[in-house]
Amino acid sequence: MYKKIYKSMRRLAVIMAILVAVITYFVVCGILVECKQDAVDAQAQILADVLNADSDFAVEKAMEDGHYLVRILSADEALVYSNKNYAGLPENKLYTYEEVLENGYVLRVSCAKHELYADALWLLLPFVVIILLAYIAAIAISLRLSDKIVDPIEHIDAVDIQYDKVYPELVPLLRSISAQRREIQRLSDRVERQNLRFRAIGEQMTDGIVLLGRSRKINMVNAAALSAFGALETEVLGQNFIQLCRDAELCNSLEKAWEGHRYQTERMLDGKPYQIYCSPILQEGIVTGVLLMLFDIRERREAELMRREFSANVSHELKSPLTSVLGYAQLMHSGMAKAEDMPVFAGKIEKEATRLLNLIDDIIELSKLDEMQEPPQKTELSLEGVIIEVIDLLADKAEARGIEIAYTGEDTLIEGNLRQISELVYNLCDNAIKYNKENGSVKITLSEKTLCIEDTGIGIAPQYTERIFERFFRVDKSRSRGAGGTGLGLSIVKHIAQAHGAQISVNSKPGEGTSFMVKFGK
């Protein structure tokens, strides 16, 4: 603005200075020419007066004037006298004044026209100097005036406008600008709040979100999406989607979304399976953006695989005892079994039925733990009391195999569900007896909310210690079935420990024994 005002004023000042100088020059030139012509006229009057007085000396003196061409002509235009000045100069190049003498002759006094303008030409150089000075003065004046005009505008405070210190002509404009500024600020604050809210929601989501704007640039991307694509926000924000992902199929999915179609696909990103949804954002039927959502389906796939394996294992585990029960029942029903074998078959049927009921009970218990939406109801309980009660329940079973159970430690109070904690301790102690050696031992230690159960059993190979908590996993399947195990006991123990915020670990050496340690939280 300042430059425009300065240039305009400088241009105007220069034009006015030149215009005034040119007009002044021509006016002065006109005056000088008129003065010169008046001088010629006066000279002619003087010569006429001298000639009419008939003074020989005066006439001779006047005729000798070399500045003018003096001629006397008779009444019939015959040349009587000429002082020969401007000889050969055409008549149209002369300025001539005529005067009729008393004797009837005509006096003509002439002057060359170029001499009339000679003085005016001498004035040209001063006028050029005057124009240059006027140009310099115009620059200085323009700078000064520009500063004076622009200064009040430049010092306008857009936040706190003082209308009494600005040009009255600008007050309506400034009021309009102030109102628009307040409206823009209000809208900007609203957009900022929405962006912060949307970003806060996006950052809290475990699923990935990528928002593309009208220009197909990335407007927002949350941490989950950045992690999935292995990128940094500063590298991709405001960039084309190709900077975030170069997967051809995913880019084609985005193109379909820009055409107004919803699209769904599954892709592997950073070694993990993702379900990706591409959805267009429509405003009045026009696609103004695209929302890309990424769902990590690794846990879902693992859960599906676990369910399939669980279903297969349950089917197999249920089929084995039922097949045995059915076989013995058919032998007894058909009469093929001898009378003395009936008690044996009945005992086997009872054993398989008991195993089947135990398996069903464990499946039901595990399903309850899986489906538990809320933490179990907890009360303050004595962990030592639970251990003593479990030892009493397993005393006969341990005695039958000659296994000695020893408990040492001090009573510890914990917050927990009595039924589940009892089942956790029971399953660990029951396994310590079932998979122990004949005449072995089980040592139970309780110290500072840490329960340790050690046995002198067959032990577990190192490659299996991480898998023993899986459902239906058995290190030695034949031995486990013979001992009456269902393969779900340790899985139930793990679920109960997790529900109570406890940490469980195992340390085992094949042929020497196994130690389970459960550390309860504060």
Side-chain angles (χ1 to χ4, degrees):
M1 180 179 180
Y2 177 85
K3 289 183 178 180
K4 289 184 177 180
I5 293 176
Y6 166 69
K7 288 181 179 179
S8 299
M9 295 193 67
R10 185 184 66 182
R11 190 182 300 113
L12 179 62
V14 170
I15 292 174
M16 292 299 297
I18 294 174
L19 185 61
V20 169
V22 171
I23 292 174
T24 303
Y25 175 75
F26 281 105
V27 169
V28 171
C29 288
I31 293 173
L32 290 175
V33 170
E34 288 182 359
C35 290
K36 197 73 172 179
Q37 290 175 344
D38 291 343
V40 173
D41 297 345
Q43 184 67 23
Q45 290 287 343
I46 293 171
L47 287 175
D49 292 341
V50 170
L51 292 172
N52 287 330
D54 198 20
S55 173
D56 294 338
F57 176 77
V59 170
E60 183 179 355
K61 195 70 177 173
M63 292 301 183
E64 292 177 355
D65 193 336
H67 294 287
Y68 305 105
L69 171 61
V70 179
R71 292 171 294 173
I72 298 175
L73 289 83
S74 62
D76 58 356
E77 295 294 327
L79 181 61
V80 176
Y81 174 80
S82 174
N83 61 0
K84 306 300 183 179
N85 287 337
Y86 308 117
L89 196 64
E91 193 69 29
N92 58 352
K93 299 292 183 179
L94 298 173
Y95 172 75
T96 303
Y97 180 82
E98 292 185 355
E99 182 72 25
V100 180
L101 301 176
E102 292 178 356
N103 58 6
Y105 284 13
V106 176
L107 173 66
R108 289 182 180 176
V109 178
S110 300
C111 177
K113 289 184 178 180
H114 65 268
E115 289 189 3
L116 294 177
Y117 297 99
D119 294 336
L121 291 175
W122 280 105
L123 292 174
L124 184 60
L125 181 61
F127 270 90
V128 170
V129 174
I130 292 172
I131 290 175
L132 291 176
L133 294 175
Y135 177 74
I136 295 172
I139 293 176
I141 294 171
S142 299
L143 287 172
R144 178 61 181 167
L145 291 177
S146 298
D147 290 337
K148 191 173 181 179
I149 293 172
V150 174
D151 187 68
I153 299 175
E154 288 183 341
H155 289 82
I156 293 175
D157 188 352
V159 178
D160 183 20
I161 300 176
Q162 298 180 6
Y163 295 102
D164 57 332
K165 295 184 179 181
V166 299
Y167 298 120
E169 295 82 1
L170 294 178
V171 170
L173 176 61
L174 293 175
R175 292 187 188 278
S176 177
I177 292 174
S178 180
Q180 290 179 359
R181 185 189 62 80
R182 290 193 297 270
E183 180 66 15
I184 291 172
Q185 185 63 43
R186 185 183 68 81
L187 295 175
S188 177
D189 292 342
R190 179 181 176 185
V191 171
E192 183 66 22
R193 288 194 300 271
Q194 291 178 345
N195 286 339
L196 290 175
R197 190 181 300 115
F198 188 65
R199 181 172 290 277
I201 294 172
E203 291 301 328
Q204 295 300 320
M205 292 180 64
T206 57
D207 301 317
I209 295 178
V210 181
L211 181 63
L212 304 179
R214 190 187 299 270
S215 60
R216 301 198 177 192
K217 305 293 185 183
I218 298 175
N219 286 351
M220 201 280 285
V221 55
N222 69 347
L226 291 171
S227 176
F229 290 111
L232 298 175
E233 185 176 15
T234 54
E235 296 175 350
V236 299
L237 201 62
Q239 302 295 322
N240 197 284
F241 183 78
I242 196 69
Q243 298 293 330
L244 181 64
C245 179
R246 298 182 182 275
D247 188 286
E249 184 174 343
L250 190 54
C251 291
N252 291 335
S253 303
L254 283 178
E255 288 300 322
K256 292 180 180 179
W258 282 109
E259 294 172 1
H261 305 292
R262 297 178 183 272
Y263 194 80
Q264 174 183 342
T265 184
E266 291 187 5
R267 307 297 296 166
M268 292 294 295
L269 300 174
D270 196 26
K272 301 176 184 177
Y274 282 89
Q275 191 168 26
I276 302 175
Y277 292 90
C278 300
S279 178
I281 300 174
L282 301 175
Q283 288 185 356
E284 299 180 356
I286 300 175
V287 179
T288 58
V290 169
L291 179 64
L292 190 74
M293 299 194 68
L294 300 89
F295 299 95
D296 188 348
I297 58 175
R298 179 180 48 178
E299 293 183 1
R300 190 179 75 183
R301 285 189 175 180
E302 291 176 352
E304 290 175 355
L305 179 61
M306 187 178 296
R307 281 195 294 269
R308 288 196 297 268
E309 291 178 349
F310 182 75
S311 299
N313 288 327
V314 166
S315 301
H316 178 73
E317 295 295 332
L318 290 175
K319 184 178 180 180
S320 296
L322 284 175
T323 301
S324 298
V325 169
L326 183 61
Y328 289 124
Q330 286 175 344
L331 287 173
M332 295 171 67
H333 180 71
S334 63
M336 294 177 64
K338 297 177 181 180
E340 61 269 21
D341 293 332
M342 287 295 185
V344 177
F345 287 172
K348 290 184 179 293
I349 289 174
E350 181 183 7
K351 180 181 178 182
E352 294 296 334
T354 302
R355 179 178 162 222
L356 185 61
L357 286 175
N358 290 336
L359 178 60
I360 293 173
D361 288 340
D362 285 347
I363 292 173
I364 292 173
E365 180 64 24
L366 197 57
S367 298
K368 288 180 180 178
L369 292 171
D370 282 337
E371 296 175 1
M372 188 166 51
Q373 300 295 328
E374 298 179 358
Q377 293 183 352
K378 300 177 182 179
T379 58
E380 190 176 61
L381 56 89
S382 170
L383 196 54
E384 185 179 62
V386 173
I387 294 171
I388 293 173
E389 183 179 351
V390 169
I391 292 175
D392 290 341
L393 291 173
L394 295 172
D396 293 340
K397 190 173 185 180
E399 186 179 353
R401 299 193 62 199
I403 295 173
E404 179 185 358
I405 301 177
Y407 165 69
T408 58
E410 54 185 19
D411 192 13
T412 300
L413 298 178
I414 64 170
E415 289 288 330
N417 183 276
L418 180 58
R419 184 186 65 80
Q420 292 184 0
I421 295 298
S422 298
E423 186 165 6
L424 179 146
V425 177
Y426 183 91
N427 284 346
L428 290 176
C429 292
D430 186 43
N431 281 350
I433 295 171
K434 283 191 296 187
Y435 301 107
N436 211 324
K437 298 176 182 179
E438 294 291 334
N439 302 317
S441 65
V442 175
K443 183 180 179 181
I444 304 173
T445 306
L446 181 61
S447 175
E448 296 182 357
K449 295 188 178 182
T450 300
L451 171 65
C452 182
I453 300 174
E454 300 179 58
D455 63 55
T456 57
I458 59 176
I460 304 170
Q463 65 267 29
Y464 298 130
T465 54
E466 294 295 327
R467 298 194 60 193
I468 58 175
F469 295 103
E470 296 179 9
R471 302 175 188 188
F472 296 111
F473 179 80
R474 296 182 179 90
V475 176
D476 187 344
K477 295 185 179 180
S478 60
R479 183 183 180 92
S480 297
R481 288 197 180 95
T486 62
L488 295 175
L490 289 179
S491 183
I492 293 173
V493 167
K494 180 182 177 182
H495 277 73
I496 293 174
Q498 289 177 343
H500 286 76
Q503 297 178 352
I504 185 169
S505 59
V506 59
N507 185 22
S508 181
K509 291 183 179 181
E512 295 184 12
T514 303
S515 171
F516 284 91
M517 183 178 292
V518 182
K519 187 174 183 180
F520 294 91
K522 296 181 180 180

